[in-house]
Amino acid sequence: MRFDAPLRFRSGAVLDAYDLMYETYGTLNAARSNAVLVCHALNASHHVAGWYADPAGKGAKNVGWWDNMIGPGKPLDTGKFFVIGVNNLGGCFGSTGPASHNPRTGKPYGSAFPVVTVEDWVAAQARLADRLGIETFAAVMGGSLGAMQAMQWAISYPERIRNAIVVAAAPKLSAQNIAFNEVARQAITTDPDFHGGDFYEHGVVPKRGLRLARMIGHITYLSDDAMMEKFGRSLRSGAVNFHFDVDFEIESYLRHQGDKFAEYFDANTYLLITRALDYFDPAQDYGGDLARAFARARARFLVVSFTSDWRFSAARSREIVKALLDDRRDVSYAEIDAPHGHDAFLLDDPRYHALVRAWFDNIHRETAP
């Protein structure tokens, strides 16, 4: 969808016009009361569920990143709800981003693309909702960075969201989390092929930096127990080879993930999204008081955390819950005992999925004509 009205970013920068790539699933009811916005995390996109047809005739491909959660008969049932997925501004899957054409220069935006924040994304999503004729979302849902967007929706547009589903989140990043993001950014910006963010003009991609950034990130998404269970100290060849190439299976796995990521993700997008993570802090404008930040919210909240998530620990989710309770807001909290680490919000945990299904079943009963 094309937007020609300028968008002013929180930084003060202005984007004169932009595109938002989005997908919808299911049918918007006559009352327009069953719309659910699903916000993506770091390296995901608007393609939240289902498969794309392969035009080469080799079968379907590219399953949506939350396909186990969203679809016909799934916890977020597209037979009942009209689900919207959006690729955020600054992304690399169709929405205007650093690789897009800059009409002022005739070149890709590159390093000139404005630094974006969660607030900017939510403002753009609200404009998309306006165009689609959706005044109020039945729910805004997300995990990790997507959950931060759900929280920001409840603060920025309290009258336009009835439920916020906040999964594997934190009210702001810890110093350790910012540190991980900075190491990943340094891996990219110090790659000789980065060229200050204008690598498009040089016909190269900073793949080495992207590989390292992805490897660093992937370590933080998994728990120690999950890594040990999946890989342990298994040797790839069955014996120690006394060299610095791949010896352990975990090394092979991380390199594979890094190589795959570097083939499809944009380096500048990675910088922008990790910076948006760093900057998110709704309490900042309220003297550090999260309850004051949430005082505007009117939505009911479902907050879900996972015991083995050390990147966004359960204690951080409980900070969100406490602030909402201090405001006497309607909030339900579930702490799921799961071994998978931060990535647990993307996996098939029966208790977690049953909880989300029950929550949406309740919403459906309220929104059904």
Side-chain angles (χ1 to χ4, degrees):
M1 189 175 286
R2 179 71 175 176
F3 295 83
D4 291 318
L7 180 66
R8 179 173 293 277
F9 286 50
R10 188 181 173 197
S11 67
V14 175
L15 204 58
D16 295 329
Y18 56 93
D19 295 317
L20 287 179
M21 185 67 77
Y22 72 103
E23 288 182 2
T24 69
Y25 313 78
T27 303
L28 186 64
N29 64 19
R32 298 180 179 271
S33 61
N34 69 331
V36 176
L37 176 66
V38 175
C39 303
H40 70 75
L42 196 151
N43 65 307
S45 70
H46 53 286
H47 182 43
V48 302
W51 296 81
Y52 287 146
D54 183 354
K58 297 180 181 179
K61 62 177 184 178
N62 294 337
V63 67
W65 59 271
W66 221 353
D67 187 71
N68 62 355
M69 179 68 75
I70 300 162
K74 294 178 182 177
L76 176 45
D77 191 341
T78 50
K80 299 175 180 176
F81 293 97
F82 180 65
V83 176
I84 303 168
V86 186
N87 181 215
N88 286 326
L89 284 174
C92 54
F93 298 105
S95 292
T96 299
S100 302
H101 177 81
N102 183 347
R104 294 187 178 185
T105 65
K107 300 176 181 179
Y109 280 97
S111 60
F113 195 86
V115 172
V116 295
T117 65
V118 170
E119 294 95 323
D120 301 326
W121 288 335
V122 168
Q125 292 162 4
R127 290 188 178 187
L128 176 67
D130 291 341
R131 285 276 194 93
L132 294 174
I134 298 167
E135 294 183 4
T136 306
F137 281 109
V140 178
M141 176 183 187
S144 191
L145 180 55
M148 292 176 173
Q149 294 166 64
M151 286 188 277
Q152 191 61 50
W153 259 97
I155 295 169
S156 295
Y157 300 98
E159 305 303 326
R160 299 193 66 175
I161 167 177
R162 293 195 297 275
N163 292 271
I165 293 90
V166 175
V167 185
K172 61 183 176 183
L173 292 198
S174 66
Q176 184 187 56
N177 269 291
I178 295 172
F180 279 121
N181 286 345
E182 172 59 8
V183 174
R185 286 191 295 266
Q186 283 293 311
I188 292 171
T189 58
T190 58
D191 186 319
D193 287 333
F194 183 64
H195 294 285
D198 297 313
F199 52 87
Y200 317 100
E201 299 174 41
H202 296 266
V204 295
V205 175
K207 288 187 176 181
R208 286 167 289 186
L210 274 168
R211 288 176 71 246
L212 286 172
R214 182 58 170 172
M215 291 167 73
I216 293 163
H218 214 76
I219 292 168
T220 71
Y221 304 149
L222 301 175
S223 69
D224 183 42
D225 288 343
M227 278 195 179
M228 283 301 294
E229 181 179 350
K230 189 170 185 177
F231 304 104
R233 290 180 52 84
S234 297
L235 294 164
R236 196 176 185 194
S237 66
V240 173
N241 289 304
F242 300 100
H243 60 195
F244 295 104
D245 201 352
V246 172
D247 241 0
F248 294 92
E249 289 289 356
I250 183 60
E251 295 173 322
S252 176
Y253 172 76
L254 289 175
R255 292 193 189 193
H256 170 72
Q257 292 295 329
D259 289 339
K260 185 170 67 171
F261 186 72
E263 291 296 325
Y264 73 85
F265 208 77
D266 182 81
N268 283 316
T269 293
Y270 197 94
L271 301 184
L272 289 170
I273 294 180
T274 56
R275 209 43 157 170
L277 264 170
D278 293 347
Y279 285 153
F280 180 74
D281 182 5
Q284 185 176 21
D285 293 335
Y286 298 90
D289 188 337
L290 188 60
R292 284 183 60 201
F294 278 131
R296 286 170 45 83
R298 296 294 177 268
R300 289 175 301 189
F301 281 76
L302 172 63
V303 180
V304 183
S305 68
F306 301 91
T307 55
S308 60
D309 183 353
W310 59 273
R311 180 142 201 193
F312 291 168
S313 69
R316 306 309 309 281
S317 286
R318 290 195 294 270
E319 291 177 35
I320 299 168
V321 173
K322 182 183 184 303
L324 291 166
L325 290 175
D326 287 346
D327 285 327
R328 297 184 180 276
R329 295 294 173 256
D330 188 336
V331 56
S332 298
Y333 175 58
E335 191 170 306
I336 307 293
D337 185 7
H340 309 104
H342 188 57
D343 267 358
F345 82 91
L346 295 170
L347 302 178
D348 292 313
D349 185 291
R351 296 157 300 174
Y352 164 46
H353 279 207
L355 172 69
V356 174
R357 182 186 298 278
W359 190 268
F360 276 109
D361 284 347
N362 287 336
I363 295 174
H364 177 64
R365 281 191 284 271
E366 296 170 0
T367 59

